[in-house]
């Protein structure tokens, strides 16, 4: 069974015919590292599921500072939820950090699948709810935890990314400058 079908099977059961229909509405693509899949200002047309590799979503502010919003590795979904759901231009970039194999599900095909396999609405509702909970938790962490605590939480939650993702992107994700991150990390290592 493919990884995306395993991901779906964690929440709902699809018949073999439904699995085949689902896969027929997706497209698998290979991307080289540092490929931009979505630019800020574009309308997000796809949900991206990572078969292999690592992707990130990020924003660049007016001062040309990157703010990493999310990472996605094998078995995870990523995209610009605001833009995908509203079909308005978004403010996120989606980029591959390493050579990646990604499954693309277009908004149009997702809507077709909702009609033809109604239980997929439940699956994507669960995904959306989990994303909302994770974003709220991250916001609360940014408001109430120290940088060291946020880094420790990141390490515990995403230990597989620590050696694969550039340090400056981890710093951005936890909301500190690369310089502060470097000092904080060396201080933590001395303990």
């Amino acid at each position: 069974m493919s990884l995306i079908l395993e991901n779906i099977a964690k929440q709902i059961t699809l018949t073999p015919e439904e699995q085949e229909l689902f896969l027929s509405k997706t497209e698998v693509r290979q991307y080289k590292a540092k490929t931009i899949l979505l630019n800020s200002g574009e309308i997000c047309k796809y949900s991206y599921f990572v078969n292999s590799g690592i992707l990130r979503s990020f924003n660049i502010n007016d001062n040309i500072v990157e703010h990493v919003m999310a990472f996605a590795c094998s078995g995870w979904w990523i995209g610009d939820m605001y833009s995908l759901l509203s079909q308005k231009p978004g403010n996120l970039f989606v980029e591959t950090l390493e050579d990646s194999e990604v499954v693309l599900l277009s908004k149009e095909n997702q809507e077709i699948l909702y009609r033809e396999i109604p239980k997929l609405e439940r699956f994507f509702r669960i995904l959306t709810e989990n994303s909302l909970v994770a974003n709220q938790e991250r916001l609360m962490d940014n408001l109430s935890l120290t940088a060291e605590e946020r880094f420790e939480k990141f390490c515990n939650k995403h230990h597989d990314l620590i050696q694969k993702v550039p340090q400056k992107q981890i710093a951005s994700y936890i909301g500190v400058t690369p310089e502060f991150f470097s000092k904080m990390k060396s201080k933590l290592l001395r303990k």
Side-chain angles (χ1 to χ4, degrees), residues 121-189:
E121 276 196 303
R122 179 175 187 274
F123 171 74
F124 283 102
R125 176 184 52 79
I126 292 168
L127 272 188
T128 303
E129 288 173 351
N130 290 342
S131 175
L132 178 63
V133 167
N135 282 323
Q136 182 175 327
E137 182 181 13
R138 184 164 171 225
L139 177 61
M140 292 305 298
D141 288 349
N142 284 341
L143 294 172
S144 61
L145 299 180
T146 66
E148 290 86 357
E149 290 169 329
R150 292 193 307 270
F151 179 58
E152 183 178 331
K153 195 166 185 179
F154 179 87
C155 291
N156 291 334
K157 205 171 190 180
H158 306 292
H159 59 275
D160 50 334
L161 295 178
I162 297 297
Q163 300 302 320
K164 296 180 178 184
V165 174
Q167 301 289 301
K168 70 178 186 174
Q169 291 178 10
I170 295 172
S172 173
Y173 181 84
I174 66 170
V176 298
T177 64
E179 297 79 19
F180 180 86
F181 181 79
S182 181
K183 289 176 189 172
M184 176 188 71
K185 194 172 169 193
S186 63
K187 183 176 129 183
L188 290 172
L189 290 173

Side-chain angles (χ1 to χ4, degrees), residues 9-25:
K10 292 176 185 174
Q11 306 298 336
I12 63 170
T13 303
L14 297 178
T15 67
E17 296 78 21
E18 290 169 335
Q19 291 177 7
E20 192 175 317
L21 176 60
F22 177 83
L23 292 176
S24 75
K25 299 295 183 190

Side-chain angles (χ1 to χ4, degrees), residues 65-84:
V65 175
E66 285 186 11
H67 296 283
V68 175
M69 301 302 295
F71 294 105
C73 53
S74 182
W76 294 12
W77 293 83
I78 196 167
D80 183 332
M81 290 286 288
Y82 164 77
S83 179
L84 183 71

